[in-house]
Structure formats: structure tokens, C-alpha cells
Amino acid sequence: MPASAGVRRRGAVRSEEARIAVLGATGRLFATQGYDHLTIEGIAAEAGVSKQTIYRWWSSKSAVVADALIEDKLLPDHPVVPDTGDIRADLIAWMQSLIDLVAQPGNDGLVRSLVAAACESPDIGTRLNDALGITATVSTRIEAAVAAGQLPADLPVMEFVRALVGGFVLHSLERSEPAPDIAERLVRALLH
Amino acid sequence: MPASAGVRRRGAVRSEEARIAVLGATGRLFATQGYDHLTIEGIAAEAGVSKQTIYRWWSSKSAVVADALIEDKLLPDHPVVPDTGDIRADLIAWMQSLIDLVAQPGNDGLVRSLVAAACESPDIGTRLNDALGITATVSTRIEAAVAAGQLPADLPVMEFVRALVGGFVLHSLERSEPAPDIAERLVRALLH
DNA sequence: TTAACTGGACGCACCGTTGCGAATTACCGG
DNA sequence: CCGGTAATTCGCAACGGTGCGTCCAGTTAA
């Protein structure tokens, strides 16, 4: 009798090795080529796996990317918001580290790729938030500032975070020359 | 002798008719299918034009889209920021009309398509700003508010606009249930 | 004469699907 | 306990379809 309540399955079991290989290959190709040049056939080749194995378990390119995102195969470590008690300085420092991150060579198209992926699939958009933890880490810091009386109690935290991140995203998409004080200006636009 | 200083060209001249047809077809297909399902072959067929004619004058899909954007073939009329003297109310009204615009049936994927296009081509991102006039119309209103003393004199206007629009974009990408007071909350996140 | 146009064809890449043989794993009757 | 059978996985290979970007031939217009 099966230990679990699930119906007993018959036949070969899913290859964990193949699953890992696919997600790893997706991460590597995503990093080097970006989202839009990512292909199922390319992933299959890189992973040393048959195309059918991918189609059996994932419904689309965006589904694979979403899973790779969850398993942290896609992104380098992302900065967390510091908490020195000075909300403005903390946000500026965090924003600056974000900007430095995407300014590193090899990360040119990172934001672009992530946004493109989010455009294609509703899942990715929401999972991006969860996986990156951006919303979580920033909003807890904001709420702490609200509790400390540094920000008004009725501040719509969710929308504040969205405006902050959205400003960063638009800035990245414009690919303009990065003004050195852009982090400070962006935060000051929100905290005046 | 040619009137202009340019070297006299021989042979047929570029067909303005074909150019207009291409940009018009691009606008129609963009509206109905969105950016990512837009194809050169589809545009050629819709415009009643040979594929070669498109490739002769534009280098890529994004180039065609960028040109269509410039000629105002892509977007419905976009709202302008009112000026009642109350900056907060004006911004909320404007943001609400933006939200209503993309909430209309048929405009579901509009923001998504525009952002996807902006991801693919640097031109489109910057031209989007110019063509929509978003940056211009909002920032003049903001500057008026600054002049009226309703906003601090050292407010980074550019970044303020980016945060506002960016918040709207991220909200659109998430495709979540649109909270009825989202416009008011977004503006309040910036103006507290 | 020269350049732009149409129409059609090409090879290439990738899509998403299907069929096949081989391997793996549970069940079931002897 | 053992061997057969059914179910399910895998890899390999092919299919038709679509769009890409290019090229060529023939026609039309300055």
C-alpha cells in the first residue's frame, strides 16, 4: 500500500536529472543571449535533453523561464535594502546597488529580458516579484519607516514600491547615459 | 540643373503611397494583434506591398513600428493632463483616464505591446516618450505646480514622471484585478 | 537609363506534434 | 519468489507550418 494518499503510479519516474539540466541550461542561455533569443530547441541542445522532454513538462518558453526563476537559476544575488534608520539613505543605497548591478558588463540586457519575459506571461510578472523578493524586502523596509513615523501612516506602500521599481525599470529601458546621481534623484522624486 | 544642391537622382522615386500603406497596415495589425504577433510578411500582405519594399526601407520590425509610432498610426488619442490648479486632483484624473483607456476592450495588451517593443529597440523606448508626449505633457504640468509652490523647487521632475508612469506600467503588467482607487493610491504614493 | 516596384522562390531556424524503440517501474498471475 | 504485462519515461528523428532575410526576374515610372 502506498504511503501517500496519492494514486499509485506505474512506470518510469520523472528524471530529476533532466529537470535540473533544463533549468540550468535555461539560466545559462538566458544570461548569455537574453529572453527573446531563447528557444526551446536551444535549451534542449544545451541541456543534452530531447525537445519532447521539455514539451512534456512545460507548456511554453515562458513556463520554463518562470520555473528557472523560481529555482534561482536566472539571477545573480540581488541586493537587500539596508536599515540604518534613515529611510532616504537606505533607499538611495539600495537603488544605487541595483543600478550598479545592471551596469556590470554582461548584465546589459538583464532588465530588458526580464521585462520582456514579464510582458509575455502573466505568471512571470508575479513570480518575478516573489522570486526576486523585491516587493517583500522593500515594502517591509517602508513599513518600518512608516512605523517609525518617518513616512505618513496612510501611505499606499504597494504603490510606492511599484513607483520606485517602475522608475528604475523605465530608466533602464531608455538606455540613456546614466546620470551619476540618478539613484538619489529617483528616491528624492518620491521622498520630498 | 537641379534646383537643390543634392546630386540629381535618376530613376523612379520612392513611392509615398507604399510608405503610407506600410505604416497604416502596421498600425492596424499592431492594434489587433499586438507587437509580438506582428510579422513583416503580415504587414506586407495587409499593405498590399512586396516584402522587398519593406526590407528596402526598414531594417527590422522594430524600425517599422518606430516609424509608425512617429506618424501617429499606432495609438488612440491619449489624454492630456488637466490644469485646475490642484496638482493632486489633476494627476489623479489623468492617471484614471490612462487606466480607463487600457481597460477598454481591445486595449488589453496595449501597454504590454508597447513595453515589449521598447524592450526590443532602444529607439522605440525614447520615441515612445516623444510620440506619446507623456513626458512633455506631464512634466510641464509638474513644473507649473513647482512654480506655484505646491511642490518643492528642487524636485527632480524627470524622475518624478518616470516613477509615475513606471508605477502605471508595472501595474498594467501585473494584470491583477484593478482596484478602483488605484489611480488615487498611485498619485498619493508620490504626493504625500 | 536608372531606380523602385511586384511576385515568386530560396535556404534557414524554430515551432509544436507525432511515431518509434528502449529503458524503467509497478501490478499480478503462476 | 519470479516472470509477464501494462504504464510511463526517455532519446532520436521526422513532419508540416510559419516567419525570417535574401535573391532574382520582370515591370513600371522618373
Side-chain angles (χ1 to χ4, degrees), chain A residues 9-12 15 48-53 56-57:
Chain A
R9 272 197 63 272
R10 203 140 65 141
S15 160
V49 146
S50 141
K51 211 169 38 152
Q52 294 61 28
T53 300
R56 194 189 320 271
W57 300 108

Side-chain angles (χ1 to χ4, degrees), chain B:
Chain B
M1 183 185 187
S4 74
V7 177
R8 184 67 125 114
R9 278 194 9 88
R10 297 173 56 127
V13 82
R14 173 173 185 184
S15 161
E16 180 69 8
E17 191 182 359
R19 196 185 132 267
I20 298 295
V22 167
L23 296 183
T26 302
R28 284 192 298 278
L29 293 181
F30 185 93
T32 60
Q33 307 178 339
Y35 177 77
D36 25 357
H37 293 110
L38 209 58
T39 67
I40 299 279
E41 300 200 333
I43 294 173
E46 169 80 14
V49 147
S50 147
K51 219 173 26 157
Q52 184 65 262
T53 301
I54 297 184
Y55 277 109
R56 195 191 318 274
W57 300 108
W58 292 278
S59 57
S60 64
K61 180 171 81 169
S62 42
V64 184
V65 171
D67 262 18
L69 206 53
I70 291 178
E71 308 246 335
D72 273 328
K73 302 291 187 190
L74 247 61
L75 298 172
D77 290 325
H78 29 275
V80 297
V81 189
D83 189 349
T84 66
D86 180 350
I87 180 63
R88 168 176 301 214
D90 288 349
L91 285 183
I92 291 178
W94 175 74
M95 181 60 70
Q96 186 61 52
S97 59
L98 267 193
I99 289 173
D100 291 345
L101 179 65
V102 303
Q104 280 176 18
N107 288 357
D108 308 11
L110 204 145
V111 175
R112 224 164 20 250
S113 282
L114 290 176
V115 174
C119 283
E120 188 175 295
S121 141
D123 277 6
I124 294 191
T126 57
R127 295 196 192 185
L128 246 175
N129 272 333
D130 305 348
L132 264 66
I134 280 188
T135 302
T137 184
V138 180
S139 56
T140 56
R141 181 65 189 86
I142 300 289
E143 278 156 6
V146 169
Q150 298 173 332
L151 289 176
D154 63 342
L155 181 78
V157 177
M158 194 67 198
E159 285 73 16
F160 185 91
V161 175
R162 264 208 276 257
L164 194 61
V165 177
F168 167 74
V169 167
L170 288 198
H171 169 74
S172 301
L173 287 190
E174 283 190 12
R175 300 185 187 73
S176 52
E177 74 297 341
D181 58 343
I182 181 67
E184 189 254 343
R185 294 169 65 87
L186 237 175
V187 173
R188 223 176 61 222
L190 288 167
L191 258 44
H192 44 260

Side-chain angles (χ1 to χ4, degrees), chain A residues 97-134:
Chain A
S97 58
L98 267 192
I99 290 173
D100 292 344
L101 179 65
V102 302
Q104 281 176 16
N107 288 356
D108 307 10
L110 204 145
V111 175
R112 226 165 17 254
S113 281
L114 291 177
V115 174
C119 282
E120 188 178 290
S121 140
D123 276 8
I124 294 190
T126 57
R127 296 196 193 186
L128 247 175
N129 272 332
D130 305 349
L132 263 67
I134 281 188

